Amino acid sequence: VQLQASGGGLVQAGGSLRLSCAASGNYFFSINEMNWYRQAPGKQRELVASIFRDGSTAYADSVKGRFTISRHNAENTAYLQMNSLKPEDTADYYCNAEIRTGDYPSSYYWGQGTQVTVSS
């Protein structure tokens, strides 16, 4: 299974971006939770938002009210709508998902990072 993240870019403060994370694979798989993490230069990777199979969500305090995570189960895709962006949101954003393939126990997979730069 592979996760492909996209949608990053350069935006001015106050602007918006929408990140996408699509899962694909050659065998049957099912996705439980999907997460977005970010890592700014010189800082640890932090969890930004999560969405669970039942649609429930959780957010880091720093993005509550500005970011919205969603998913399209039929397309195995998660989205992160980022509004009112701030310079401190600048980071590489990574998608992560708990995926079960066939009869094997679930594992966490990572996508490649997509860079988000917010200018002041």
Side-chain angles (χ1 to χ4, degrees):
V1 178
Q2 293 183 329
L3 296 178
Q4 180 71 40
S6 61
L10 172 64
V11 65
Q12 289 188 329
S16 298
L17 283 174
R18 188 191 195 208
L19 306 183
S20 300
C21 175
S24 62
N26 293 328
Y27 302 96
F28 172 79
F29 62 91
S30 61
I31 303 174
N32 295 326
E33 65 184 82
M34 300 187 81
N35 309 297
W36 284 99
Y37 285 77
R38 68 185 180 187
Q39 187 167 20
K43 295 188 176 181
Q44 289 189 328
R45 190 171 295 189
E46 64 171 345
L47 178 61
V48 174
S50 299
I51 186 165
F52 303 93
R53 190 163 183 83
D54 64 359
S56 60
T57 59
Y59 297 92
D61 288 342
S62 58
V63 306
K64 280 181 181 177
R66 300 188 298 122
F67 290 11
T68 302
I69 189 171
S70 60
R71 64 190 284 174
H72 192 305
N73 287 332
E75 296 182 354
N76 296 315
T77 302
Y79 304 95
L80 186 68
Q81 178 66 44
M82 306 185 294
N83 298 328
S84 302
L85 283 161
K86 304 176 181 180
E88 51 263 43
D89 294 318
T90 295
D92 289 327
Y93 283 71
Y94 298 87
C95 63
N96 165 273
E98 182 190 9
I99 298 174
R100 182 176 179 182
T101 56
D103 294 330
Y104 295 96
S106 61
S107 299
Y108 283 89
Y109 292 77
W110 289 92
Q112 88 290 2
T114 184
Q115 190 173 51
V116 172
T117 303
V118 184
S119 63
S120 57

